[in-house]
């Protein structure tokens, strides 16, 4: 399993506290992997090194979030343990869970949500936000949950070592009392294991049978929404949800966790105006969900790029254009084409054409602005349009069709 774990480990990632690169590790690959496996099985002979903590921009870029970077060798071992645990838990995980699972993607979660809201004609949406999830996980509870299903002492001992390995930041090592090392290879799987117990199984086993109407949970890692057919069901679950999460050391954000009235505008239960004004919206996985008219005039659930995601993407584009403005036009063009296509590959979804058009127009404006700063004389739109006719950016396109997916 160690050679396969090595093969699956990214080789271009940042280095951990020891500074060792993947290329350096590979110079004696067979010997290193054999020694790693022997130390891991021997228990006390393996000591998990602290993770190197760095901060990356979050949301609109005004805040940051911490991630931990393990050593390359630790990444390989974490990958091997994740492969072993995945073989166990993929038999248990429920269909409502989509994050970091084989053969599942954010767009599968979005499709499941679209199917649920359309089949119910809307309803009430509980939009959940777990405060600082990766920093708040109760390690004792997590290990209890793990031992319910995993009997291999080597695996549980290694997970315990990683949970308590410590964090190195600005040359100082410290040991948080709770949480998992966000950024570690094993962390997404541990998050799924924990929330499978905290939320998924509880909702399916204890909550759904007690509801008077239909309800659908969709979770992607620590992001989740629950769609309810009936308001009374939604309010009952909203009342008990903080207590359930609190039992496991987690806290729902009191302002970001909310109930959203999301009935179809022509539904008698809806408080929205006949034209849809006043209806609720909610966000999941970078998209704002709302009711709108289809080309045939029917009410459908539409998705558009969330404002925070669009702002973040354009901020990165503007920064790139400023930094690379003196490079040859052809080279800039190739890079921008790839960036625009990458945006479409995720956000190119049915009904999101206006946001995609706004995005590419904003990219054109940013490119024009910084090309004009190369000689501090500026650039007219006439000249910019001439250049963009020679170096065009890709037009908006739908990559993910809700209708194709619904008919599969």
């Amino acid at each position: 399993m160690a050679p396969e774990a090595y093969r699956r480990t990214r080789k271009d990632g940042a280095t951990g506290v020891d500074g060792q690169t993947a290329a350096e590790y590979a110079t004696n690959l067979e010997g290193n992997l054999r020694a790693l496996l022997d130390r891991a099985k021997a228990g006390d002979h393996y000591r998990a090194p602290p993770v190197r903590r760095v901060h990356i921009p979050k949301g609109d870029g005004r805040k940051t979030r911490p991630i931990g970077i393990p050593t390359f060798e630790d990444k390989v071992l974490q990958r091997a343990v994740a492969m072993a645990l995945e073989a166990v838990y993929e038999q248990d995980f429920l269909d409502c869970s989509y994050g970091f699972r084989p053969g599942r993607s954010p767009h599968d979660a979005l499709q499941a949500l679209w199917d649920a809201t359309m089949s119910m004609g809307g309803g009430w949406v509980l939009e959940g936000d777990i405060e600082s999830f990766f920093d708040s996980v109760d390690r004792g509870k997590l290990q209890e949950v793990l031992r319910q299903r995993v009997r291999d002492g080597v695996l549980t001992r290694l997970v315990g070592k990683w949970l308590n390995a410590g964090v190195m930041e600005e040359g100082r090592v410290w040991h948080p009392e709770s949480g998992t090392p966000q950024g570690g290879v094993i962390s997404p799987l541990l998050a799924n294991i924990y929330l499978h117990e905290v939320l998924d199984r509880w909702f399916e086993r204890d909550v759904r049978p007690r509801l008077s109407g239909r309800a659908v949970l969709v979770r992607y890692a620590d992001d989740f929404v629950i769609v309810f057919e009936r308001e009374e069901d939604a309010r009952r679950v909203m009342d008990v949800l903080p207590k359930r999460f609190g039992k496991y050391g987690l806290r729902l954000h009191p302002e970001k966790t909310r109930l959203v009235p999301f009935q179809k505008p022509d539904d008698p239960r809806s408080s929205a105006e006949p034209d849809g004004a006043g209806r609720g919206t909610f966000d999941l996985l970078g998209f704002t969900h709302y009711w709108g008219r289809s080309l045939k005039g029917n009410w459908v659930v539409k998705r558009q790029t969330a404002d925070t995601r669009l702002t973040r993407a354009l901020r990165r584009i503007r920064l790139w254009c400023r930094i690379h403005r003196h490079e040859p036009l052809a080279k800039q063009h190739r890079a921008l084409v790839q960036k625009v296509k990458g945006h479409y590959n995720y956000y190119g979804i049915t009904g999101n054409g206006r946001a995609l058009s706004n995005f590419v127009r904003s990219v054109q404006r940013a490119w024009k602005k910084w090309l004009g700063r190369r000689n501090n004389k500026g650039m007219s739109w006439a000249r910019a349009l001439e250049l963009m006719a020679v170096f065009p950016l890709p037009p908006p396109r739908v990559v993910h069709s809700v209708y194709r997916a619904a008919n599969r």
Side-chain angles (χ1 to χ4, degrees):
M1 183 177 285
E4 178 62 17
Y6 170 80
R7 188 187 68 80
R8 295 190 188 185
T9 302
R10 280 185 57 183
K11 312 300 188 294
D12 58 349
T15 59
V17 295
D18 63 356
Q20 186 179 46
T21 66
E24 291 168 346
Y25 192 82
T27 56
N28 182 26
L29 181 59
E30 187 176 340
N32 284 335
L33 292 179
R34 189 186 308 113
L36 174 62
L37 201 57
D38 290 344
R39 282 183 286 125
K41 290 180 178 179
D44 292 341
H45 291 179
Y46 174 80
R47 296 186 63 184
V51 297
R52 182 169 67 87
R53 173 165 284 186
V54 297
H55 294 264
I56 62 173
K58 176 182 178 181
D60 60 6
R62 284 177 284 190
K63 295 183 179 180
T64 63
R65 66 180 177 91
I67 62 167
I69 303 174
T71 63
F72 181 78
E73 184 173 69
D74 225 29
K75 291 177 186 177
V76 174
L77 187 56
Q78 287 190 28
R79 176 65 65 193
V81 172
M83 289 163 58
L85 292 178
E86 194 175 80
V88 174
Y89 279 99
E90 276 300 317
Q91 304 174 56
D92 298 351
F93 287 155
L94 303 180
D95 282 344
C96 62
S97 167
Y98 291 87
F100 305 103
R101 293 184 58 192
R104 295 193 156 209
S105 72
H107 287 94
D108 293 327
L110 291 166
Q111 184 64 41
L113 180 58
W114 188 83
D115 292 341
T117 49
M118 287 294 293
S119 67
M120 290 186 204
W124 286 76
V125 174
L126 195 163
E127 186 179 3
D129 186 281
I130 308 173
E131 277 193 303
S132 303
F133 170 74
F134 285 94
D135 292 331
S136 304
V137 170
D138 185 313
R139 294 172 180 172
K141 293 280 189 183
L142 172 58
Q143 289 179 291
E144 284 179 21
V145 169
L146 201 61
R147 285 193 292 267
Q148 291 173 10
R149 193 71 173 83
V150 180
R151 304 300 182 189
D152 189 323
V154 172
L155 298 180
T156 56
R157 187 167 57 245
L158 285 171
V159 170
K161 287 176 181 287
W162 288 320
L163 291 176
N164 295 288
V167 173
M168 176 177 283
E169 189 169 11
E170 297 180 349
R172 183 175 64 90
V173 176
W174 55 289
H175 295 80
E177 295 181 358
S178 62
T180 64
Q182 189 173 0
V185 174
I186 196 74
S187 292
L189 179 56
L190 293 180
N192 274 337
I193 291 170
Y194 202 52
L195 288 173
H196 172 72
E197 178 66 25
V198 175
L199 180 60
D200 303 354
R201 285 186 66 233
W202 171 74
F203 182 78
E204 189 66 32
R205 179 190 62 213
D206 299 334
V207 175
R208 194 197 296 274
R210 292 177 169 83
L211 301 179
S212 57
R214 289 182 293 167
V216 174
L217 165 67
V218 176
R219 181 177 66 81
Y220 191 93
D222 59 328
D223 292 327
F224 71 93
V225 297
I226 310 175
V227 185
F228 297 90
E229 187 177 28
R230 298 180 180 275
E231 179 182 357
E232 59 268 28
D233 289 337
R235 296 199 177 278
R236 285 170 57 202
V237 174
M238 184 72 168
D239 287 341
V240 301
L241 205 58
K243 301 172 187 174
R244 175 66 182 179
F245 276 73
K247 179 181 176 182
Y248 289 85
L250 302 176
R251 185 171 183 264
L252 294 173
H253 195 293
E255 296 175 0
K256 295 181 180 179
T257 299
R258 62 195 186 109
L259 277 182
V260 180
F262 197 69
Q263 299 90 355
K264 189 188 301 185
D266 60 3
D267 189 308
R269 302 169 296 165
S270 175
S271 59
E273 300 298 325
D275 63 354
R279 61 191 181 276
T281 66
F282 65 93
D283 288 359
L284 183 70
L285 296 174
F287 290 92
T288 298
H289 298 66
Y290 66 99
W291 284 101
R293 296 280 190 183
S294 70
L295 293 176
K296 295 182 179 179
N298 300 319
W299 287 110
V300 295
V301 175
K302 291 191 171 186
R303 285 79 61 85
Q304 67 179 27
T305 310
D307 289 343
T308 54
R309 294 294 186 92
L310 184 59
T311 299
R312 186 196 311 174
L314 290 174
R315 180 179 287 110
R316 290 173 177 169
I317 290 286
R318 293 180 186 118
L319 178 62
W320 187 93
C321 288
R322 178 173 68 84
I323 293 172
H324 297 273
R325 65 186 183 275
H326 293 295
E327 293 183 359
L329 277 175
K331 185 176 180 180
Q332 291 188 49
H333 176 249
R334 285 194 299 271
L336 286 174
V337 165
Q338 291 304 311
K339 293 178 185 298
V340 171
K341 284 183 176 180
H343 188 85
Y344 294 163
N345 284 342
Y346 187 79
Y347 293 103
I349 196 168
T350 303
N352 197 30
R354 182 179 300 175
L356 297 180
S357 296
N358 289 340
F359 172 77
V360 72
R361 283 197 297 268
S362 296
V363 173
Q364 289 173 331
R365 284 194 292 269
W367 197 19
K368 168 193 173 294
K369 172 184 174 179
W370 289 107
L371 287 177
R373 297 285 180 90
R374 298 207 295 185
N375 55 15
N376 293 321
K377 294 181 179 179
M379 177 180 289
S380 69
W381 267 110
R383 174 57 180 155
L385 291 174
E386 288 178 5
L387 286 175
M388 291 177 191
V390 178
F391 300 105
L393 296 179
R397 68 188 184 96
V398 173
V399 178
H400 309 278
S401 167
V402 294
Y403 303 110
R404 284 200 302 267
N407 292 327
R408 282 205 298 253

